[in-house]
Amino acid sequence: MTALRSLPRPRGELSAAVTELLTRIPGSVVPAAGRLDPYGEDLLLTLHTCYELHYQGFAGVDENWEWDPDLLRLRRDLENQLLAALRADVAGGDDVDAELDRLLEPTRDTDGIAGFLAERGTADQLREYFVHRSIYHHIEADPYAWVIPRLRGQVKASLVAVEFDEYGGGRGERVHARLFADLLSGADLDPGYLHYLDTVPAPMLALVDMMSLLGLHRGLRGALVGHFATVEITSSPASRRLAELARTLLPHPACEHFYTEHVEADAVHEQVLRRDVVAGLLAAEPGEAASIVFGIQATNLLEDRFAEHVLGCWNEDRSSLREALSAAAAPG
């Protein structure tokens, strides 16, 4: 069995209290959430820690904490704060086709993180990008699996078909999370599960927390489908650019292969998600339109916040991580 990572280093009073709590027996007194910055390090790390109990868990933490009712109440308080912020910060609406069409609008080659890397990026900056994305790609298909029992008929079958590809078509060495671990090794980074959790700052935590939040709540199934569609529709062109960057800046076969694997697969997934999953869900449950739009818009909001953080740091010639890779310590 693969060794579990240790509890993360706290980033504020609440995350310190919760990580200390998880070293005790379930049923111990759970702290109150209080009002926190919904996009701040303390709230987002606390949420991530609670969510990880539903994934691999942490070394030394009793597995019965996963369903401790008081810890679930704390988690729900934090979820409500994050959800309220996301809903306040997106436009909303129920025109799903218009939102999906916007995802297909071409971007300039100079735009965003890929544009920066292509124009003047370094191998170390691409490695930083990999570190940010590691906490996402270690679980990249898993939150979507929670929505499967909440769908029916062709919608369910089509989403499962996409998930089957994400999990390597039945071959363990081709599971996308495994391919990203290989990429990390190829880039001289640690491939261990959540190895860089302490190093990744709030903007990527927010995106990963949102995935878990949408996946765990049946009432947010439309938003999860909207998020999944956004990822798949935008993945193929982005993966093509990242494959080219890996070929130039970090010429290791595993670095390029992760992205070339996504170019063709996600071009197919885009059609399946839009035609069979999103359209199928709308046909069966037209009332989910606003939720789907929310999932699309919230994903774009958090991706934009992540890009703004990274580019802001790089334009000031400093690391976008909580600590530079040369100083990043292994988890305790």
Side-chain angles (χ1 to χ4, degrees):
M1 181 177 176
T2 303
L4 301 177
R5 71 148 285 151
S6 58
L7 285 160
R9 294 200 295 266
R11 303 184 192 181
E13 291 185 7
L14 184 61
S15 53
V18 169
T19 52
E20 195 279 329
L21 172 72
L22 292 176
T23 65
R24 298 189 233 153
I25 60 171
S28 300
V29 177
V30 175
R35 298 300 301 175
L36 296 170
D37 176 0
Y39 299 127
E41 301 279 359
D42 198 21
L43 182 145
L44 292 170
L45 180 65
T46 305
L47 256 187
H48 193 281
T49 302
C50 292
Y51 286 143
E52 180 55 29
L53 301 176
H54 298 291
Y55 292 103
Q56 299 296 310
F58 297 102
V61 174
D62 191 314
E63 292 183 345
N64 289 309
W65 273 116
E66 180 180 7
W67 298 110
D68 181 86
D70 291 332
L71 187 61
L72 291 175
R73 275 190 284 273
L74 168 66
R75 194 192 84 192
R76 187 55 176 165
D77 286 345
L78 301 180
E79 289 175 333
N80 286 338
Q81 293 184 51
L82 179 57
L83 268 177
L86 290 172
R87 293 193 188 281
D89 290 340
V90 300
D94 58 7
D95 192 340
V96 175
D97 284 337
E99 293 296 327
L100 294 174
D101 288 343
R102 273 191 278 274
L103 297 176
L104 295 171
E105 293 175 358
T107 58
R108 297 177 301 176
D109 288 344
T110 55
D111 286 346
I113 292 174
F116 180 101
L117 289 169
E119 181 180 342
R120 52 196 170 105
T122 66
D124 281 344
Q125 286 170 331
L126 182 56
R127 292 169 75 242
E128 276 194 15
Y129 177 77
F130 292 164
V131 167
H132 283 287
R133 289 286 179 188
S134 66
I135 67 166
Y136 168 91
H137 286 300
H138 281 312
I139 62 163
E140 73 171 86
D142 295 341
Y144 312 135
W146 281 319
V147 83
I148 293 170
R150 294 155 183 174
L151 304 175
R152 298 177 67 84
Q154 188 60 51
V155 178
K156 175 184 285 193
S158 296
L159 188 135
V160 168
V162 175
E163 283 281 81
F164 184 65
D165 288 345
E166 297 288 335
Y167 289 123
R171 295 173 58 186
E173 75 278 8
R174 292 179 61 87
V175 171
H176 287 184
R178 175 70 259 169
L179 295 181
F180 197 82
D182 294 340
L183 171 149
L184 292 171
S185 294
D188 294 323
L189 295 166
D190 194 299
Y193 181 78
L194 295 186
H195 176 86
Y196 293 106
L197 176 58
D198 291 324
T199 308
V200 173
M204 183 52 63
L205 282 179
L207 184 64
V208 178
D209 283 356
M210 184 192 71
M211 293 165 60
S212 297
L213 168 59
L214 300 182
L216 281 165
H217 291 276
R218 190 177 72 84
L220 295 170
R221 61 193 178 282
L224 192 280
V225 166
H227 164 71
F228 196 9
T230 305
V231 170
E232 297 300 320
I233 288 171
T234 58
S235 174
S236 186
S239 293
R240 183 175 290 106
R241 296 186 71 193
L242 286 163
E244 294 169 356
L245 289 167
R247 192 179 307 124
T248 302
L249 296 175
L250 288 169
H252 187 285
C255 296
E256 182 181 351
H257 177 64
F258 175 81
Y259 292 107
T260 56
E261 175 77 10
H262 284 71
V263 171
E264 292 187 11
D266 289 349
V268 175
H269 294 170
E270 169 198 332
Q271 297 300 315
V272 174
L273 262 295
R274 180 163 189 170
R275 182 186 65 242
D276 297 335
V277 179
V278 174
L281 180 59
L282 283 173
E285 300 185 70
E288 288 298 308
S291 186
I292 294 171
V293 167
F294 170 67
I296 295 170
Q297 293 177 348
T299 302
N300 289 331
L301 170 74
L302 295 181
E303 287 284 7
D304 288 346
R305 288 175 60 93
F306 166 66
E308 288 168 7
H309 165 78
V310 172
L311 293 174
C313 293
W314 288 353
N315 281 316
E316 295 176 359
D317 295 320
R318 58 189 177 90
S319 173
S320 61
L321 300 171
R322 286 170 56 79
E323 54 187 2
L325 283 175
S326 59

